[in-house]
Amino acid sequence: MEVPDQKARRRLTPDDWADAALTAIAAGGLAAVAVEPLATRLHTTKGSFYWHFANRDALLDAALARWEERTTTDVVGEITAMDERGPADRLRRLITRVVGIAERDPVGPALLASAGHPQVAAALDRVTRTRIDLIVALFEGLGFTADDARRRALLAYSAYLGHAELAHSTPDVLPAAADERRAYLDDVLRALTAR
């Protein structure tokens, strides 16, 4: 008797599960991270989940770490690696980069909606502090005092969060054409760096 052809399944990794959890968070919030529906989405069993994770909290930690890496750690690395460029170029690149990420990242707004959850709160605190510290360093590199750099960094981060909210709730109010978008980002940069 012949065995029907079956697609060879690759072994799922913790990252596969974390990515599925992030997709669930984006679609349905933190409550959507449940083992059985994720296993169904991944075409596997709960046993695969328990091979990699002790429980849902461990999966949530892995998903949050993956989101943090993609939206913060990688960006900080990219910006700080621009050693040959001055702080103004790095700030411009940072603003351009994070605006694009904010517009495409449905996970961030979903996490902000769950900011009271202890695991999410810890991740948001780490991410926010890391991001603000980078912005402070860039403003200090532009010659602003530590206090002024911190105030400007908070303003820049607040503007980023507002932009992210607009991008997800009412995207039509943001400039869509490339030249309008450049002018908008130039205005943001000028406002943040004005003496």
Side-chain angles (χ1 to χ4, degrees):
M1 178 175 193
E2 287 186 33
V3 177
D5 285 339
Q6 294 182 356
K7 291 182 182 176
R9 282 194 206 175
R10 71 176 181 85
R11 182 165 293 200
L12 293 177
T13 67
D15 286 345
D16 293 324
W17 281 96
D19 288 342
L22 290 173
T23 299
I25 290 169
L30 207 55
V33 178
V35 176
E36 287 190 40
L38 291 178
T40 300
R41 180 177 293 138
L42 291 169
H43 307 290
T44 192
T45 65
K46 291 190 314 185
S48 170
F49 170 82
Y50 288 109
W51 178 259
H52 298 294
F53 300 101
N55 53 40
R56 179 184 180 270
D57 285 344
L59 171 61
L60 186 54
D61 284 338
L64 292 169
R66 195 135 165 93
W67 174 78
E68 182 176 350
E69 179 183 350
R70 290 176 177 166
T71 64
T72 303
T73 308
D74 290 351
V75 174
V76 169
E78 175 186 330
I79 300 304
T80 56
M82 296 175 65
D83 288 338
E84 73 283 351
R85 299 207 180 169
D89 286 342
R90 288 195 304 263
L91 183 60
R92 174 179 295 283
R93 176 64 182 149
L94 176 64
I95 290 171
T96 303
R97 181 83 164 91
V98 299
V99 161
I101 290 171
E103 292 171 355
R104 292 184 311 274
D105 176 26
V107 177
L111 291 176
L112 288 172
S114 299
H117 186 279
Q119 288 170 279
V120 174
L124 290 175
D125 183 66
R126 272 191 321 274
V127 163
T128 299
R129 290 178 188 282
T130 300
R131 291 172 177 178
I132 290 173
D133 287 348
L134 173 63
I135 302 166
V136 167
L138 293 173
F139 279 119
E140 287 177 340
L142 289 169
F144 292 101
T145 66
D147 288 342
D148 199 13
R150 179 134 185 92
R151 282 191 298 274
R152 288 170 188 267
L154 289 173
L155 176 61
Y157 196 68
S158 298
Y160 158 79
L161 290 175
H163 182 92
E165 179 60 32
L166 287 174
H168 292 279
S169 65
T170 51
D172 292 344
V173 303
L174 295 172
D179 58 333
E180 292 173 345
R181 186 175 185 78
R182 260 190 311 278
Y184 163 70
L185 294 176
D186 286 344
D187 287 345
V188 168
L189 192 58
R190 271 193 298 278
L192 291 171
T193 58
R195 303 261 176 192

